[in-house]
């Protein structure tokens, strides 16, 4: 909506769901690319607002751990598309699997999404710790999802920053927050993009603000 060309790569290669969230039924997915059946360009599908999506397969275990050749093949094919997009968003699964660490280290910017839930904060810290100590990543961006108040989001940021400053040599930048709202659940159930379904909602406003921040960066 801000005039940028955007590609979303669904990097949850075992339990992909971006196509489901957007109400799409792609003919091919990344499994067909890794198996050599299709080129990356043939897998691209059109999402809402002109967003392009590279869907992954669901319920197939073959590619839940990519080998070095598969990783290189994907990066090379993405490089061929780099003139076609302003932003490539890589949506990884939760956790610290090999695929998660690979995609995070391959990306130019790492955006950690957490919630105020103590277990989610612990998981976010664990990911940053692993990427810092094992892969020498030093810069992280933080978005706090499902908040009740902005103060709650800032409290999560303060907690993570305090622990990181004590134990890790990293910097964390707070990019913004997304409020908890039943309209988000409704949008997912209806398989519609929330900024179109509820253009006047608090969540749409928060996403617009976050998009503006990402573009200005």
């Amino acid at each position: 909506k801000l005039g940028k060309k955007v590609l979303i790569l669904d990097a949850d290669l075992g339990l992909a769901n971006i196509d489901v969230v957007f109400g799409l039924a792609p003919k091919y997915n990344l499994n067909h690319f890794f198996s050599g059946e299709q080129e990356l360009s043939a897998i691209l599908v059109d999402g809402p607002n002109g967003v392009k999506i590279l869907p992954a397969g669901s319920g197939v275990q073959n590619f839940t751990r990519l080998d070095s050749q598969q990783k290189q093949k994907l990066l090379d094919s993405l490089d061929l598309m780099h003139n076609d997009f302003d932003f490539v968003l890589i949506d990884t699964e939760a956790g610290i699997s090999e695929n998660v660490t690979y995609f995070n280290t391959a990306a130019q910017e790492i955006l950690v999404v957490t919630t105020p839930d103590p277990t989610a904060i612990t998981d976010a810290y664990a990911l940053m710790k692993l990427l810092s100590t094992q892969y020498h990543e030093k810069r992280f961006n933080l978005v706090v999802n499902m908040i009740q108040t902005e103060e709650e989001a800032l409290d999560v940021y303060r907690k993570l920053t305090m622990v990181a400053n004590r134990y890790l040599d990293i910097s964390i930048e707070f990019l913004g927050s997304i409020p908890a709202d039943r309209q988000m659940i409704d949008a997912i159930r209806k398989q519609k993009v929330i900024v179109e379904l509820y253009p006047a909602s608090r969540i749409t406003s928060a996403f617009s603000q976050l998009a503006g921040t990402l573009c200005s960066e």
Side-chain angles (χ1 to χ4, degrees):
K1 286 197 168 224
L2 294 174
K4 304 294 183 184
K5 292 176 288 184
V6 180
L7 170 66
I8 301 177
L9 167 61
D10 192 343
D12 187 347
L13 300 180
L15 297 168
N17 58 20
I18 284 178
D19 51 325
V20 177
V21 169
F22 285 150
L24 305 171
K27 188 176 179 184
Y28 302 113
N29 57 53
L30 283 168
N31 291 346
H32 297 96
F33 167 73
F34 290 124
S35 64
E37 295 171 56
Q38 296 293 333
E39 293 298 316
L40 210 56
S41 55
I43 296 167
L44 277 177
V45 290
D46 292 323
N49 291 308
V51 171
K52 299 285 186 184
I53 296 158
L54 281 170
S58 190
V60 181
Q61 206 173 23
N62 298 16
F63 304 110
T64 50
R65 274 188 74 181
L66 299 178
D67 62 34
S68 56
Q69 279 183 309
Q70 290 165 334
K71 290 173 183 173
Q72 196 56 51
K73 181 182 178 183
L74 180 59
L75 275 190
D76 289 344
S77 295
L78 282 172
D79 275 346
L80 294 175
M81 294 181 175
H82 82 275
N83 287 328
D84 300 335
F85 301 102
D86 301 307
F87 289 91
V88 177
L89 304 177
I90 305 173
D91 181 34
T92 70
E93 65 208 77
I96 53 172
S97 73
E98 203 175 296
N99 278 357
V100 170
T101 55
Y102 163 67
F103 283 115
N104 272 278
T105 52
Q108 287 177 309
E109 295 284 341
I110 298 171
L111 200 156
V112 179
V113 182
T114 189
T115 72
D117 186 87
T119 57
I121 297 170
T122 304
D123 290 350
Y125 177 74
L127 175 65
M128 290 188 281
K129 180 182 177 183
L130 178 71
L131 289 170
S132 163
T133 56
Q134 300 291 317
Y135 300 92
H136 312 295
E137 295 289 345
K138 298 300 177 193
R139 289 179 56 246
F140 297 89
N141 301 288
L142 182 73
V143 171
V144 186
N145 195 14
M146 299 177 70
I147 60 155
Q148 299 301 325
T149 65
E150 187 62 24
E151 185 56 36
E152 191 176 40
L154 292 170
D155 187 49
V156 172
Y157 171 63
R158 281 192 288 266
K159 281 177 182 170
L160 281 169
T161 303
M162 188 175 69
V163 182
N165 286 345
R166 190 177 298 171
Y167 299 110
L168 303 174
D169 179 26
I170 64 171
S171 66
I172 305 171
E173 184 176 351
F174 180 64
L175 285 194
S177 60
I178 307 293
D181 198 311
R182 287 204 61 81
Q183 288 179 323
M184 192 68 193
I185 299 167
D186 192 39
I188 290 169
R189 284 180 179 164
K190 290 178 177 172
Q191 295 176 292
K192 300 286 185 189
V193 181
I194 193 155
V195 296
E196 291 181 343
L197 193 61
Y198 298 111
S201 70
R202 290 191 311 147
I203 293 190
T204 292
S205 175
F207 275 126
S208 299
Q209 210 171 333
L210 178 58
T213 301
L214 287 171
C215 288
S216 65
E217 297 263 319

